[in-house]
Structures are given as structure tokens and as C-alpha cells.
């Protein structure tokens, strides 16, 4: 069944001149069929550089919106229109405007997990891979608003020693991982290296050896002599990590760390997406132009490491 589906997708992909981009949390079969997998930063860069006519984004809405903003001449498709990011929805453009009005002299750094409207109100975008570098590059005498993830914000604040004006957003799939989960996993695997995503709680990050974006986790594990890893992020990460290092053991810190939105994309929906050219993600020109400025600063100033 799935072989037939994969064949149909590949055929249609060539006919449509499409590229399939998939986030590291996507279901394994989606990651395996994608032309490119990566973290938010890697996918943004890929979306801005591809020659294909169509981009099928296997991820969540803000990622497809980012691709549409960076490639306005391309057709950007999201196979499930309901695959959103609850954290991105925790701040609206109006709420950000109000926050800016309270701090009129502040620069705004916005995590890429946000709507295009919110990005349009921002000076800079960042991802979990480059947030500290972006904040660290800003003038010392400027106040900085950082939205929407408070946990990434606190991590960046600690790393850069800059005080940030934070928004109380969070990712439910990450904060569900507790310090007890890490302690228990460490007891079971005393030699394991603990890798945590910056969206995790401060307690979890404090117990971890490395705080990394999803693609940084892949790069770190590739070069590490360790044979066991405790992975404190969405459980989908276990697939690319194990595929890359079949000789090593990757243990999820918590099986509860599941992003249901990421799992809404299936092979069937991917096929229908290419067949029907649905669901097309388009951003109004005025919003896209403003959001693009904030994204360009991120994509061009600080390339992926
Ligand atoms: P990465 O950019 O590290 O892949 O993170 C994206 C995300 O949505 C984490 O929840
Ligand atoms: Fe959003 Fe969290 Fe899912 Fe990432 S894991 S897409 S931040 S809900």
C-alpha cells in the first residue's frame, strides 16, 4: 500500500516540478520521502533557494507561511490546513502592537514559530538555532522584546546576559517533559548524553548536557563518541537520529512529548496535496513584505551552522 502511494507521490512530484520539505518531527515515512529534512532554520533557507515551482511543506502552518513569504513567486502547499502550532497562536499581531506601545524604544525579536502577521510587526526573526546570536548582535543600549516562547527567551537571556521583555508563550509538547523524566532516564542510562530543545523548561535544560535545535542535535550526535542519548524534545526526533547513528541508542525523555499537529501530515494527504494543489498558503503582499524584512535579516545575516 505505502509503496504504491510513494510511487504515485514521486511521479506527481516530478510532473508538478515540486520539492518536498519536511521538518524533523514529521512521521518517519514523510521524512523518508522528503527531498530535504531539517529544522526551522534549515527549511527556511532551503525554501528561499529552491528552483522548484511548487514547495510542499510537511510541517506546520508557520513553516509553510515562512516559505511563502520567502518565495512569493512559488506555489506553497500545506497538506493539512489544520496543522497549526499552538505556541505560534499564543500571540497575535494586535497583542504585539500593544507590547511595542508599552516599550516604544525596544527592538522586537520574534521566534519563527509565529504567524506572518506577528513577523510583520518584528525587527528580527530567529529560530532556536540562532536566537542567541541574533540577540547577541543587537546594540547593548537597546531594550529587546522577545516573543512568543518564554522558555527559549530565558535560555537566550542567560546565554547573552541580556535582559529580555518576554511573552508567556510556551510549547505544550516540550514543557510536558519534567525534571523527573530526565532524572529517571539518567538513572536508567547513566552514560547517556542528555540533549534538550530550548523550548523545554528551565529545570529540564539545567539537567541537560546540551541545549540544541533539532538539526543541531543531529550534528552533535553525528560527531559524538557517545553510544547512548536521552532526547528531550518531540518524539519524532528519534527517527532521524537513529537513522543517522544506527549504532547508538536514542531514548525519548518522555513519550508524552508529542506534537499532534506535526503528525497530521500523512502520505495520503501528501498525495492529495500534489493532486489537488491544496492547501495553498498565500500571504497578503503588505504583510509578506514586512515579514520578509525580519526573515531576511535572519536568513542572510546568520546562515545555518
Ligand atoms: P527546530 O527549529 O529546532 O526544528 O524547532 C522547531 C519547533 O517547532 C520546535 O518545537
Ligand atoms: Fe509548535 Fe511545539 Fe509543535 Fe513545535 S512542537 S510545532 S513549537 S506545538
Amino acid at each position: 500500500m505505502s509503496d504504491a502511494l510513494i510511487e504515485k507521490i514521486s511521479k506527481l512530484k516530478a510532473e508538478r516540478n515540486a520539492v518536498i520539505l519536511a521538518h524533523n518531527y514529521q512521521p518517519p515515512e514523510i521524512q523518508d520521502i522528503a527531498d530535504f529534512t531539517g529544522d526551522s532554520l534549515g527549511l527556511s533557507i532551503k525554501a528561499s533557494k529552491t528552483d522548484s515551482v511548487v514547495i510542499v511543506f510537511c510541517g506546520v502552518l508557520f513553516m509553510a507561511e515562512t516559505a511563502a513569504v520567502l518565495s512569493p513567486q512559488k506555489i506553497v502547499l500545506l497538506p493539512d490546513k489544520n496543522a497549526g502550532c499552538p505556541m505560534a497562536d499564543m500571540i497575535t499581531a494586535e497583542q504585539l502592537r500593544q507590547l511595542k506601545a508599552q516599550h516604544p524604544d525596544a527592538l522586537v525579536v520574534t521566534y519563527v514559530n509565529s504567524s506572518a502577521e506577528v513577523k510583520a510587526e518584528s525587527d528580527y526573526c530567529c529560530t532556536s538555532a540562532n536566537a542567541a546570536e541574533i540577540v547577541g548582535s543587537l546594540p547593548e543600549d537597546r531594550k529587546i522584546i522577545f516573543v512568543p516562547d518564554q522558555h527559549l527567551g530565558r535560555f537566550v537571556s542567560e546565554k547573552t546576559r541580556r535582559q529580555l521583555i518576554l511573552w508567556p508563550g510556551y510549547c505544550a509538547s516540550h514543557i510536558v517533559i519534567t525534571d523527573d523524566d530526565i532524572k529517571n532516564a539518567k538513572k536508567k542510562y547513566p552514560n547517556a548524553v542528555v540533549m534538550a530543545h530550548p523550548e523545554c523548561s528551565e529545570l529540564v535544560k539545567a539537567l541537560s548536557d546540551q541545549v540544541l535545535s533539532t538539526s543541531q542535535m543531529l550534528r552533535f550526535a553525528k560527531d559524538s563518541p557517545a553510544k547512548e542519548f536521552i532526547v528531550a524534545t518531540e518524539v519524532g526526533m528519534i527517527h532521524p537520529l537513529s537513522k543517522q547513528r544506527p549504532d547508538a541508542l536514542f531514548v525519548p525523555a518522555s513519550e508524552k512529548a508529542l506534537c499532534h499537529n506535526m503528525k497530521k501530515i500523512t502520505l495520503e494527504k501528501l498525495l492529495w496535496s500534489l493532486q489537488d494543489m491544496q492547501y495553498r498558503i498565500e500571504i497578503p503582499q503588505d504583510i509578506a513584505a514586512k515579514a520578509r524584512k525580519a526573515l531576511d535579516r535572519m536568513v542572510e545575516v546568520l546562515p545555518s551552522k
Side-chain angles (χ1 to χ4, degrees), residues 23-25 38-41 62-63 111 113 127-129 171 174 197 199 212-215 262:
H23 187 264
N24 288 323
Y25 296 157
D39 65 358
S40 302
L41 181 59
F62 78 79
M63 296 179 174
Y111 191 23
N113 297 38
T127 71
S128 59
C171 168
H174 279 85
H197 195 276
E199 288 175 17
L212 303 164
S213 83
T214 60
S215 286
M262 283 282 181

Side-chain angles (χ1 to χ4, degrees), residues 2 61 67 75 79 116 123 135 142 144 160 166 186 189 219 231 294:
S2 103
L61 179 63
I75 296 170
D123 297 300
V135 167
R142 294 294 296 272
I144 301 169
T160 58
L166 296 177
K186 275 182 160 184
Y189 302 98
R219 281 193 285 276
V231 185

